[in-house]
mmCIF file of all heavy atoms in Angstrom:
data_model
loop_
_atom_site.group_PDB
_atom_site.id
_atom_site.type_symbol
_atom_site.label_atom_id
_atom_site.label_comp_id
_atom_site.label_asym_id
_atom_site.label_seq_id
_atom_site.Cartn_x
_atom_site.Cartn_y
_atom_site.Cartn_z
ATOM 1 N N MET A 266 -22.263 -2.159 31.702
ATOM 2 C CA MET A 266 -23.005 -2.861 32.781
ATOM 3 C C MET A 266 -22.190 -4.038 33.273
ATOM 4 O O MET A 266 -21.795 -4.950 32.519
ATOM 5 C CB MET A 266 -24.328 -3.345 32.247
ATOM 6 C CG MET A 266 -25.293 -2.228 31.860
ATOM 7 S SD MET A 266 -25.639 -1.087 33.175
ATOM 8 C CE MET A 266 -24.929 0.427 32.561
ATOM 9 N N GLY A 267 -21.975 -4.018 34.585
ATOM 10 C CA GLY A 267 -21.154 -5.063 35.197
ATOM 11 C C GLY A 267 -21.699 -6.447 35.019
ATOM 12 O O GLY A 267 -20.970 -7.434 35.002
ATOM 13 N N ASP A 268 -23.037 -6.561 34.883
ATOM 14 C CA ASP A 268 -23.658 -7.905 34.768
ATOM 15 C C ASP A 268 -23.321 -8.578 33.461
ATOM 16 O O ASP A 268 -23.621 -9.799 33.292
ATOM 17 C CB ASP A 268 -25.168 -7.886 35.065
ATOM 18 C CG ASP A 268 -25.902 -6.976 34.089
ATOM 19 O OD1 ASP A 268 -25.357 -6.603 33.032
ATOM 20 O OD2 ASP A 268 -27.100 -6.672 34.336
ATOM 21 N N THR A 269 -22.743 -7.809 32.509
ATOM 22 C CA THR A 269 -22.344 -8.458 31.210
ATOM 23 C C THR A 269 -21.005 -9.162 31.364
ATOM 24 O O THR A 269 -20.582 -9.877 30.447
ATOM 25 C CB THR A 269 -22.218 -7.423 30.094
ATOM 26 O OG1 THR A 269 -21.186 -6.486 30.419
ATOM 27 C CG2 THR A 269 -23.540 -6.653 29.898
ATOM 28 N N ARG A 270 -20.327 -8.931 32.469
ATOM 29 C CA ARG A 270 -18.954 -9.564 32.675
ATOM 30 C C ARG A 270 -18.781 -9.841 34.171
ATOM 31 O O ARG A 270 -17.900 -9.252 34.859
ATOM 32 C CB ARG A 270 -17.853 -8.619 32.172
ATOM 33 C CG ARG A 270 -18.111 -7.151 32.536
ATOM 34 C CD ARG A 270 -17.117 -6.160 32.041
ATOM 35 N NE ARG A 270 -17.717 -4.802 32.140
ATOM 36 C CZ ARG A 270 -17.861 -4.132 33.249
ATOM 37 N NH1 ARG A 270 -17.478 -4.662 34.391
ATOM 38 N NH2 ARG A 270 -18.431 -2.940 33.237
ATOM 39 N N PRO A 271 -19.566 -10.797 34.672
ATOM 40 C CA PRO A 271 -19.519 -11.100 36.137
ATOM 41 C C PRO A 271 -18.095 -11.431 36.562
ATOM 42 O O PRO A 271 -17.413 -12.221 35.953
ATOM 43 C CB PRO A 271 -20.420 -12.326 36.282
ATOM 44 C CG PRO A 271 -21.315 -12.271 35.062
ATOM 45 C CD PRO A 271 -20.523 -11.677 33.985
ATOM 46 N N GLY A 272 -17.732 -10.812 37.723
ATOM 47 C CA GLY A 272 -16.332 -11.044 38.238
ATOM 48 C C GLY A 272 -15.758 -9.700 38.621
ATOM 49 O O GLY A 272 -16.347 -8.613 38.384
ATOM 50 N N ASP A 273 -14.555 -9.696 39.171
ATOM 51 C CA ASP A 273 -13.918 -8.464 39.608
ATOM 52 C C ASP A 273 -13.413 -7.677 38.421
ATOM 53 O O ASP A 273 -13.168 -6.502 38.493
ATOM 54 C CB ASP A 273 -12.762 -8.785 40.580
ATOM 55 C CG ASP A 273 -13.269 -9.077 41.974
ATOM 56 O OD1 ASP A 273 -14.490 -9.119 42.113
ATOM 57 O OD2 ASP A 273 -12.441 -9.202 42.858
ATOM 58 N N ASN A 274 -13.095 -8.371 37.276
ATOM 59 C CA ASN A 274 -12.568 -7.736 36.087
ATOM 60 C C ASN A 274 -11.254 -7.043 36.335
ATOM 61 O O ASN A 274 -11.082 -5.842 36.049
ATOM 62 C CB ASN A 274 -13.578 -6.715 35.526
ATOM 63 C CG ASN A 274 -15.020 -7.323 35.299
ATOM 64 O OD1 ASN A 274 -15.997 -6.652 35.565
ATOM 65 N ND2 ASN A 274 -15.078 -8.587 34.877
ATOM 66 N N LEU A 275 -10.237 -7.807 36.769
ATOM 67 C CA LEU A 275 -8.907 -7.234 36.927
ATOM 68 C C LEU A 275 -8.322 -6.949 35.519
ATOM 69 O O LEU A 275 -8.553 -7.682 34.588
ATOM 70 C CB LEU A 275 -8.009 -8.207 37.674
ATOM 71 C CG LEU A 275 -8.370 -8.466 39.114
ATOM 72 C CD1 LEU A 275 -7.548 -9.601 39.665
ATOM 73 C CD2 LEU A 275 -8.215 -7.233 39.953
ATOM 74 N N TYR A 276 -7.592 -5.835 35.338
ATOM 75 C CA TYR A 276 -7.209 -4.843 36.280
ATOM 76 C C TYR A 276 -7.963 -3.536 36.043
ATOM 77 O O TYR A 276 -7.346 -2.461 35.934
ATOM 78 C CB TYR A 276 -5.732 -4.610 36.210
ATOM 79 C CG TYR A 276 -4.890 -5.878 36.451
ATOM 80 C CD1 TYR A 276 -4.491 -6.682 35.425
ATOM 81 C CD2 TYR A 276 -4.614 -6.243 37.807
ATOM 82 C CE1 TYR A 276 -3.751 -7.872 35.667
ATOM 83 C CE2 TYR A 276 -3.907 -7.428 38.055
ATOM 84 C CZ TYR A 276 -3.511 -8.210 36.978
ATOM 85 O OH TYR A 276 -2.809 -9.387 37.215
ATOM 86 N N SER A 277 -9.294 -3.676 35.870
ATOM 87 C CA SER A 277 -10.102 -2.485 35.655
ATOM 88 C C SER A 277 -10.169 -1.655 36.919
ATOM 89 O O SER A 277 -9.943 -2.136 38.032
ATOM 90 C CB SER A 277 -11.458 -2.900 35.193
ATOM 91 O OG SER A 277 -12.168 -3.557 36.257
ATOM 92 N N THR A 278 -10.479 -0.343 36.756
ATOM 93 C CA THR A 278 -10.626 0.605 37.846
ATOM 94 C C THR A 278 -9.642 0.421 38.994
ATOM 95 O O THR A 278 -9.979 0.274 40.154
ATOM 96 C CB THR A 278 -12.087 0.526 38.420
ATOM 97 O OG1 THR A 278 -12.436 -0.838 38.719
ATOM 98 C CG2 THR A 278 -13.081 1.080 37.409
ATOM 99 N N SER A 279 -8.370 0.362 38.591
ATOM 100 C CA SER A 279 -7.285 0.046 39.462
ATOM 101 C C SER A 279 -6.123 0.978 39.287
ATOM 102 O O SER A 279 -6.102 1.764 38.337
ATOM 103 C CB SER A 279 -6.734 -1.418 39.146
ATOM 104 O OG SER A 279 -7.767 -2.371 39.295
ATOM 105 N N VAL A 280 -5.174 0.883 40.164
ATOM 106 C CA VAL A 280 -3.823 1.399 39.863
ATOM 107 C C VAL A 280 -2.931 0.203 39.618
ATOM 108 O O VAL A 280 -3.023 -0.819 40.402
ATOM 109 C CB VAL A 280 -3.276 2.261 41.014
ATOM 110 C CG1 VAL A 280 -3.364 1.605 42.376
ATOM 111 C CG2 VAL A 280 -1.827 2.733 40.747
ATOM 112 N N ILE A 281 -2.126 0.255 38.552
ATOM 113 C CA ILE A 281 -1.212 -0.835 38.234
ATOM 114 C C ILE A 281 0.215 -0.269 38.208
ATOM 115 O O ILE A 281 0.463 0.852 37.754
ATOM 116 C CB ILE A 281 -1.550 -1.514 36.889
ATOM 117 C CG1 ILE A 281 -1.599 -0.506 35.719
ATOM 118 C CG2 ILE A 281 -2.883 -2.280 36.964
ATOM 119 C CD1 ILE A 281 -1.809 -1.112 34.337
ATOM 120 N N ALA A 282 1.128 -1.108 38.703
ATOM 121 C CA ALA A 282 2.594 -0.774 38.731
ATOM 122 C C ALA A 282 3.270 -1.525 37.639
ATOM 123 O O ALA A 282 3.200 -2.782 37.633
ATOM 124 C CB ALA A 282 3.154 -1.038 40.106
#
Side-chain angles (χ1 to χ4, degrees):
Chain A
M266 294 302 115
D268 61 12
T269 64
R270 40 182 164 75
D273 282 4
N274 307 142
L275 293 173
Y276 301 94
S277 66
T278 51
S279 301
V280 51
I281 55 175

